[in-house]
Amino acid sequence: MPAVDLKACLAATVRLFRVPTDPDLTRAQFDAFSKQIPLLYFILITNTIAVAYTYVPLAPASLSMIVPAVLTAVTALRTVWWLRQRHVVRSDADILRNLRLTNLIAAPIAAGFTAWSFALYPYGDAFAKSQVAFYMAVTMIGCIFCLMHLRSAALIVTLVVNVPYVLFYFVTGEPTLKAMAINNLLVSGAMVTVLFIYYRDFADLVSNRKSLLMQQAATQALSDENFRLANLDSLTELPNRRRFFAELASAFNDADRRHVHVAVGIIDLDGFKPINDNYGHSVGDRVLIEAGRRIREVCEGFGPQRVEFARLGGDEFGLVVCGDPEDVDLARLGERIGEQVKLPYQLDTAHTGLSCSIGFALYPNSATTSEALYECADYSLYHAKRHQRGRTVIFSGELEAEIRSRGVIENLLRTSDFGAEMELVFQPIVDAMSEHTAGFETLARWHSPRLGWVSPADFIPAAERIGLIRPLTQVLLARALATAKSWPDHIRLSFNLSAHDVCAAEGILPLIAIIERSGLPPHRIDFEITETAVTFDFVRAQQSIATLKAMGCGISLDDFGTGYSSLSHVHRLPLDKLKIDRSFVADINENPVSHKIIKSLTGLCDDMEIACVVEGVETRAQLDTLRRLGCDFIQGYYFAKPMPGAAIEDYLAKERERLHGSTSKVVA
């Protein structure tokens, strides 16, 4: 027979009567146990009063009245104490201390009631004695149930009551009482077994609940992090577009409820695309991060208004200005942001500079919904970029009228008959030295049945916005090629393409098909493309231009000197001509800067072996200066205004007469 390890058995026994020190388990025990204590004392008090009532005529007053009164008073005081502690927030140490105290007082209280019961027993008749036995058994079972969450206290009560109970009634020799003692012993054993099973399951439940809470906490932390990331721009670590519109909706609803102003601002960085083209995306990203940091600092230091700032995407940022701002506040905020953005960006060997255009719209002056307010700010930005680049524009009644006009133009374009309503005019492109016409640039005019003549500056952008520019281009190109087919073979046709024409996903196949159907040799066609169109999607534009060039068409870069003016486009594209914007010609003889710019550009064209075309020539003095600077071709009112196709034959005839007369005079 194996030896019994007494120390191990003793340690195991001690553990049964010890309060666990796991904070989560002890707190759960205390919470459950404290709810059961009033019921435990209620059982003790009511059962004790019933037994005492029975023994009042049988036992001395000290046993039937005084002792039970004292025991009842003690339990009543403990009940009141526990009831008053229900809402007290306790520390883990305080909970552990109270549980240990319960263990300490469980034995004296149980012993006191047991001793009182045995003291009453001799004074009763058979029925009274049976009541005492029943009282002790039932009360003990009730107490064990109430103490199930604190196993140690339940075991103490079981031992203190049950061991004397079984021994006392077993030694009486009375068969009925001996049977009750044995029955009580068996029931107590079953109760203790249930107690152990229940306690184990309770501990497991607490442990599982703890694990579940930890999982929930981890899940909540992950959810919070995902929410943060979902509302954060990964590059600049600024709030993103989603967060911006959530803030806008909240701020708008608050302003509407309080009847105060709220404003939306949209910032676009001017000249950012060339930074990406010239220095690469890594430098561009660093510029975006630095620009975002500068704007955020301005917003955080702008009082008394509160400014929410976010990156909307690309080089565009958004503002929500709360705190009842006025137009003057928005203008001041825009000015401060512009000053910070314009400061130099020193990045390694690249020294970059840029500016920003800002559009603001103020509620309720501009719109009555948050969506409409944002659209108004977007239009203010659009207006700033077209007419006041690098400035701040606040939505106004004039811009609202523009929007209405723009909407009318867009709606009429959708239903217009391009073949019937669009007309073409042609402006000569003249050789600067010989003054012979080398070609004609095609210009579109729209005669709307409702609006009359509409400027290309209005309907071309509208066609781009509503997705009609490509079908419009195709109709106009087919008509221009048909007109040019009747010209002398040395006269070229120059035709403008938009960003949507050269950057479309399906490429320029429709334009190629139109050229082939026209019968006009591709080498007589020049396609003019602006820098803005090239930067729209440089890779796709480069592919389209290369295809046209392979057909034999000429390529001109239009409006050079405005917009982004990136030299990278000049050397990376197969250009034949560079068109210098008219803005440099108007004061070429008065402004040394304009003179130097054109001189530099003509030198650039000469070095790259491409032709130089100058627009906007209106006087003989301008022509003479441009000749001296080495310009190749001239375009402007000095020679002719745009004319319909039917007038070209007469124009060329008069030109021949003029040049022939000049030659005759020279010979004479």
Side-chain angles (χ1 to χ4, degrees):
M1 183 175 180
V4 177
D5 189 343
L6 296 178
K7 289 185 178 180
C9 292
L10 181 61
T13 304
V14 171
R15 283 197 296 271
L16 293 177
F17 293 93
R18 181 182 296 166
V19 176
T21 56
D22 177 39
D24 295 304
L25 180 57
T26 55
R27 184 171 290 276
Q29 284 180 291
F30 185 82
D31 291 341
F33 167 73
S34 61
K35 296 174 184 176
Q36 301 289 94
I37 283 293
L39 178 61
L40 181 149
Y41 287 134
F42 174 77
I43 293 172
L44 277 174
I45 291 171
T46 54
N47 289 355
T48 299
I49 291 174
V51 172
Y53 177 78
T54 300
Y55 275 86
V56 166
L58 302 175
S62 58
L63 288 176
S64 62
M65 298 181 65
I66 297 174
V67 173
V70 172
L71 293 174
T72 301
V74 171
T75 53
L77 290 174
R78 290 292 296 169
T79 302
V80 172
W81 186 87
W82 277 104
L83 290 174
R84 294 180 63 180
Q85 300 299 310
R86 285 182 301 172
H87 304 297
V88 176
V89 179
R90 297 182 178 276
S91 65
D92 293 337
D94 193 25
I95 288 174
L96 185 61
R97 184 169 55 254
N98 276 276
L99 292 179
R100 286 173 175 170
L101 178 62
T102 301
N103 275 348
L104 292 175
I105 66 175
I109 292 177
F113 280 96
T114 301
W116 174 68
S117 301
F118 289 152
L120 281 178
Y121 179 83
Y123 296 99
D125 55 19
F127 291 105
K129 291 178 179 180
S130 298
Q131 184 185 10
V132 171
F134 179 79
Y135 159 74
M136 293 182 69
V138 170
T139 303
M140 181 190 67
I141 292 173
C143 291
I144 291 174
F145 268 112
C146 292
L147 293 170
M148 289 185 75
H149 296 97
L150 186 58
R151 181 181 61 184
S152 55
L155 290 174
I156 290 172
V157 170
T158 301
L159 292 176
V160 170
V161 176
N162 203 45
V163 171
Y165 179 92
V166 172
L167 293 175
F168 181 84
Y169 286 105
F170 195 83
V171 299
T172 59
E174 177 64 37
T176 302
L177 294 177
K178 290 174 66 175
M180 290 180 64
I182 295 172
N183 183 62
N184 190 62
L185 181 64
L186 295 176
V187 171
S188 299
M191 289 292 299
V192 170
T193 302
V194 172
L195 173 67
F196 275 92
I197 295 173
Y198 177 82
Y199 184 83
R200 182 196 63 197
D201 293 341
F202 179 75
D204 290 342
L205 179 63
V206 171
S207 177
N208 292 336
R209 180 174 178 270
K210 179 180 178 181
S211 299
L212 179 60
L213 290 175
M214 292 176 63
Q215 292 176 1
Q216 290 177 341
T219 302
Q220 184 62 42
L222 181 61
S223 176
D224 293 343
E225 179 65 12
N226 288 337
F227 179 80
R228 187 184 72 85
L229 293 176
N231 289 273
L232 190 72
D233 176 60
S234 59
L235 175 64
T236 61
E237 296 189 354
L238 294 169
N240 61 10
R241 189 179 187 89
R242 179 202 298 266
R243 180 66 179 275
F244 171 80
F245 283 105
E247 291 287 349
L248 172 58
S250 175
F252 186 89
N253 292 335
D254 181 65
D256 185 47
R257 177 177 54 82
R258 296 169 53 209
H259 304 291
V260 297
H261 293 141
V262 66
V264 175
I266 306 177
I267 305 170
D268 188 88
L269 301 182
D270 300 320
F272 174 73
K273 287 185 181 294
I275 294 175
N276 266 344
D277 292 341
N278 295 332
Y279 303 115
H281 289 289
S282 61
V283 172
D285 289 346
R286 291 161 65 188
V287 169
L288 282 176
I289 294 171
E290 175 63 16
R293 185 192 65 78
R294 295 181 186 183
I295 299 173
R296 180 173 57 189
E297 286 183 354
V298 173
C299 294
E300 291 174 349
F302 189 77
Q305 284 77 27
R306 176 174 62 87
V307 184
E308 299 293 341
F309 176 53
R311 184 190 179 201
L312 302 180
D315 59 345
E316 196 169 84
F317 299 89
L319 305 170
V320 179
V321 187
C322 310
D324 202 20
E326 299 290 345
D327 285 357
V328 63
D329 300 315
L330 302 179
R332 189 172 73 255
L333 176 60
E335 182 180 0
R336 291 184 183 178
I337 291 174
E339 290 173 351
Q340 289 300 311
V341 171
K342 286 180 182 177
L343 294 176
Y345 294 75
Q346 186 68 40
L347 301 170
D348 298 334
T349 58
H351 186 77
T352 63
L354 70 163
S355 62
C356 66
S357 300
I358 308 176
F360 278 111
L362 187 67
Y363 167 83
N365 304 10
S366 303
T368 56
T369 67
S370 59
E371 294 82 2
L373 189 66
Y374 178 83
E375 293 299 327
C376 291
D378 189 54
Y379 188 79
S380 297
L381 175 65
Y382 169 79
H383 183 86
K385 292 188 72 67
R386 287 193 65 192
H387 304 291
Q388 301 181 48
R389 184 176 289 269
R391 304 286 296 278
T392 297
V393 173
I394 301 174
F395 193 79
S396 61
E398 291 78 5
L399 294 186
E400 185 175 6
E402 279 188 20
I403 287 182
R404 291 199 184 99
S405 175
R406 186 172 75 161
V408 170
I409 291 174
E410 290 175 356
N411 290 332
L412 291 176
L413 268 178
R414 290 187 178 96
T415 59
S416 67
D417 181 353
F418 293 158
E421 298 177 22
M422 294 291 171
E423 296 186 10
L424 295 180
V425 293
F426 303 86
Q427 186 171 33
I429 300 174
V430 179
D431 185 290
M433 301 307 296
S434 67
E435 298 188 15
H436 283 89
T437 297
F440 289 90
E441 179 181 1
T442 306
L443 303 171
R445 299 291 185 264
W446 178 29
H447 188 270
S448 167
R450 177 176 169 183
L451 300 178
W453 290 106
V454 182
S455 168
D458 293 325
F459 75 80
I460 294 296
E464 291 179 332
R465 288 193 300 271
I466 63 177
L468 290 179
I469 190 64
R470 298 190 70 237
L472 177 59
T473 296
Q474 293 167 22
V475 169
L476 297 179
L477 178 60
R479 290 176 58 183
L481 293 173
T483 302
K485 198 172 180 182
S486 63
W487 298 346
D489 292 344
H490 68 279
I491 301 295
R492 303 176 65 85
L493 172 71
S494 186
F495 190 89
N496 292 278
L497 297 179
S498 77
H500 300 271
D501 296 318
V502 297
C503 299
E506 59 270 32
I508 56 168
L509 295 179
L511 302 184
I512 293 174
I514 292 172
I515 295 172
E516 292 178 344
R517 287 197 302 267
S518 72
L520 188 72
H523 69 266
R524 290 182 56 193
I525 306 171
D526 288 326
F527 284 107
E528 297 189 10
I529 303 168
T530 64
E531 289 184 277
T532 304
V534 171
T535 56
F536 189 79
D537 185 342
F538 183 80
V539 174
R540 197 179 295 276
Q542 192 176 34
Q543 294 170 350
S544 299
I545 291 171
T547 302
L548 293 173
K549 184 72 174 179
M551 288 183 64
C553 301
I555 304 297
S556 300
L557 189 61
D558 196 12
D559 296 335
F560 192 80
T562 62
Y564 298 116
S565 300
S566 174
L567 293 178
S568 65
H569 301 151
V570 177
H571 75 79
R572 293 168 65 186
L573 297 174
L575 301 176
D576 297 287
K577 295 184 177 71
L578 200 66
K579 296 193 74 173
I580 300 175
D581 188 70
R582 66 182 66 246
S583 60
F584 299 110
V585 177
D587 59 351
I588 188 172
N589 290 319
E590 293 81 25
N591 188 345
V593 176
S594 297
H595 188 279
K596 290 179 181 178
I597 290 174
I598 293 182
K599 182 179 180 181
S600 299
L601 294 178
T602 55
L604 173 66
C605 292
D606 187 54
D607 291 340
M608 298 189 65
E609 298 182 350
I610 59 177
C612 176
V613 183
V614 182
E615 301 176 299
V617 179
E618 297 183 0
T619 67
R620 184 70 192 188
Q622 292 171 346
L623 174 61
D624 291 339
T625 300
L626 294 171
R627 277 176 168 175
R628 289 194 299 271
L629 292 176
C631 296
D632 299 298
F633 297 98
I634 302 298
Q635 186 176 350
Y637 285 4
Y638 176 74
F639 289 101
K641 294 182 178 181
M643 64 190 74
I648 289 178
E649 185 176 351
D650 289 341
Y651 167 79
L652 292 176
K654 291 179 181 178
E655 178 186 87
R656 286 193 296 271
E657 292 177 2
R658 174 174 59 82
L659 295 176
H660 179 72
S662 299
T663 304
S664 299
K665 290 180 181 179
V666 171
V667 172

